Amino acid sequence: MTIIEAESLTKTFRTRIKPEGLRAGLRSVVRPQYRDVEAVKRVSFSVEEGEVLAFLGPNGAGKSTTIKMLTGILTPSGGSSRVLGLDPCRDRTRLARSIGAVFGQKSQLWFHLPPADSFRLLGAIYEIEPALLARRRAELVERFGIGPYMDVPVRKLSLGERIRCEIAASLLHAPSVLFLDEPTIGLDVVAKREIRVLLSEIAQRDKATIFLTSHDVGDIEKVCKRAIIIHHGEVVVDESMKELKHRALAKKFIGVKYAEPVRFELPGLKPVKVKLAASDTVAIAGADGDCAASGTEGSARDGAWSAASFEVDTRRHRLPEVIRALVEKGEVLDLTVEDEPLENIIASVYEARSGEDASRAARPGAASAADEAATGAARPGESAKEGT
Amino acid sequence: MSGNYLARKLPKYGLAADLGLRNRLAYRGNFVGSLVTYGLFIFVFSRIWAAAYAGKSSIAGYDYAMSVWYFIVAEVSAFGFGHFYSSLSDDMKSGQVAYLLTRPYSFVGYHWAQAMGQGLLDAAVLLAGGILAGFLVAGAPPEPSVWRWGLVVLSLVIAGSLQFFIQMAIAMTAFWVEENTAFFWIYQKLCLIIGTFLPLEFLPETARQIALWTPLPSVTYAPARIAVAATAPEALGLVGAQLGWLAFSALACALVFRAGRSKITIQGG
């Protein structure tokens, strides 16, 4: 069953331009000028019941604006959306009973009062029967481990403790859909991990549909099953986390460690880290693409090395052949093959200037074909060639 | 509207008022500050009136004690309920208020309940302090009676709600204009001149006639006039007018919210 549906959802903000200088400033008082900013451009997607969706994008991409339109806070400038079959804007109050929302940067708890008071108020706001409220509260307090904080004024809680209380509070009325806007922002690693575990649990146990925006790749990898990447207000990627990782994983990182120092190059293969044999120096390679100790001048180029890490573009080099070439060079003590961190993949989409570029960045196959057509340089499948 | 329906709907507003009140209690220093300022105002005005009444027993039907007690009660409304705007406006401009839209309640009603919980506590503290100060600087209030002071309290409660709806409507103009402080400033100053510092009877006849067509007399004049001079029928008339303006301002506030809701713009984070 489709729970969230967005069809050409658009939001344009009108911003007043404040010109520089006194004369221009005075002129703008009499004749103000405005600029239209298209924060979200004809975004379409749907989310099925029970899905855990990551809604990603760099700052200013339009993800928070989208979440605010889906929760009925903002009125769209164009297009339409339906959440649980309701129009979020027109049926805001009705929809509010079935959705929960946590905005990491804003608090729904009363700052000077203990969370217990906010829970009581939320129970009344959602018109939960007292007996049911007591049961839900006890269950959430136990699951989220927030018992010791319930009678402490919110202002005295740490951010991690507060966010746990915020999420628990948003679940009090057992919402079918939970919107989380950067819930782990500003949290330390331990607190982040705790929140991720709790979110995964909510998805599995409560069967709630989760719509999560975050800048933290860890949140996405650990919690979400599907990712939508929005950039410059447009959807550039919409696929399962598995596909996103798999499709974008054109790059592999191979780490190799030899028993004896070696001296060779693999043309076209890019070392990202080289451990020189003469010293314990670790050189970070430049982007020239040639192997060996190319990261440091002189001594590195002449010197032997004992361990290195290579970035392998699997569109250009077949992985087994690269491995075979490396193994033939000496007695290998250790060999590792790692995927490109998801963070890099997302960063490459973020760095793209326009929505169209971003789509290409997310689809290496398309990018490679385009590159090839443009330069004629890339030859996918070409094997690594042994150098001297 | 069935009793069941109300039993389900009302607790949320009752609790919002309760939490507003308790939130206000979090810093008891707040009360000390406002009581000291209020006390200082009463002292200064009692001296001004003492100078104005030198050699006169009455001005526009008010004697010295009536003028001082009038000011004491009028200031309870002006001071106790006069600060809703700043927090509402800050919330509107920062977009914080938008996050409260994801709840199943009347947005205006929830804010009213919360503001009244806080405002009634402020007003009660000020009134208690004001009564004490009044006895010290002007002696007993004129013609005290249970019905009179009962109506003063009722009139103050209505004035508080009226103040809330007017200030909320002004704060919500932030949906259309970037800077709306000037609107509140004008309202606040008009309130002070018309009915707080001076009873309506002190104003020139034309100004008084114009003022009677505005809600301003219901904000501070009505409770203060009831406290010092109004006969029972006049007092009931004043409370009736207050109720009329209250209904009008609540409706206006709801309409402003409905019209402005689609204008909410909170970009980014």
Side-chain angles (χ1 to χ4, degrees), chain A residues 303-317:
Chain A
W305 52 273
S306 57
S309 172
F310 296 92
E311 182 184 309
V312 181
D313 185 343
T314 55
R315 289 169 290 157
R316 292 165 183 254
H317 309 289

Side-chain angles (χ1 to χ4, degrees), chain A residues 13-243:
Chain A
F13 290 109
R14 176 163 260 221
T15 314
R16 189 164 170 184
I17 302 167
K18 304 248 164 121
E20 262 183 69
L22 183 65
R23 271 179 66 178
L26 288 173
R27 203 166 39 236
S28 85
V29 173
V30 185
R31 200 178 293 167
Q33 287 184 309
Y34 297 92
R35 182 184 298 136
D36 285 343
V37 179
E38 247 190 329
V40 176
K41 297 177 202 165
R42 294 167 294 283
V43 160
S44 300
F45 59 86
S46 62
V47 183
E48 296 300 308
E49 189 175 10
E51 262 197 296
V52 184
L53 177 88
F55 199 66
L56 313 173
N59 289 332
K63 53 190 190 309
S64 287
T65 303
T66 307
I67 235 180
K68 283 164 195 157
M69 286 193 279
L70 294 175
T71 48
I73 293 174
L74 290 179
T75 310
S77 315
S80 65
S81 66
R82 292 197 90 72
V83 178
L84 294 163
L86 299 170
D87 179 328
C89 229
R90 227 179 7 226
D91 306 312
R92 179 178 55 87
T93 317
R94 259 176 80 199
L95 179 65
R97 291 180 192 285
S98 314
I99 62 167
V102 175
F103 297 92
Q105 304 193 58
K106 307 273 174 187
S107 181
Q108 61 181 322
L109 305 171
W110 286 63
F111 193 60
H112 297 299
L113 301 177
D117 281 325
S118 293
F119 275 56
R120 210 155 54 93
L121 177 66
L122 287 168
I125 285 174
Y126 288 102
E127 298 163 22
I128 308 171
E129 294 290 326
L132 179 64
L133 175 65
R135 214 167 47 237
R136 285 284 303 167
R137 196 194 114 135
E139 187 197 320
L140 289 165
V141 164
E142 198 203 323
R143 261 170 79 183
F144 282 71
I146 50 174
Y149 322 130
M150 288 301 277
D151 55 359
V152 179
V154 170
R155 66 172 190 274
K156 293 193 173 161
L157 298 178
S158 73
L159 184 60
E161 291 160 355
R162 179 173 76 73
I163 293 289
R164 266 151 74 182
C165 294
E166 296 267 1
I167 300 177
S170 70
L171 294 172
L172 209 54
H173 59 293
S176 331
V177 188
L178 186 59
F179 289 95
L180 298 144
D181 193 8
E182 299 185 35
T184 60
I185 195 161
L187 296 183
D188 64 41
V189 279
V190 178
K192 269 183 189 170
R193 198 165 53 204
E194 286 170 358
I195 296 296
R196 283 169 197 155
V197 169
L198 287 167
L199 291 178
S200 303
E201 216 181 278
I202 294 164
Q204 279 160 19
R205 244 171 81 172
D206 302 352
K207 305 278 177 240
T209 305
I210 296 183
F211 193 97
L212 170 86
T213 79
S214 180
H215 280 299
D216 195 303
V217 177
D219 289 350
I220 302 146
E221 279 186 293
K222 299 283 183 311
V223 181
C224 301
K225 299 277 182 291
R226 180 179 154 210
I228 289 180
I229 302 183
I230 183 169
H231 197 26
H232 298 294
E234 294 170 50
V235 171
V236 290
V237 172
D238 181 358
E239 54 200 17
S240 73
M241 287 305 296
K242 235 179 179 173
E243 273 173 35

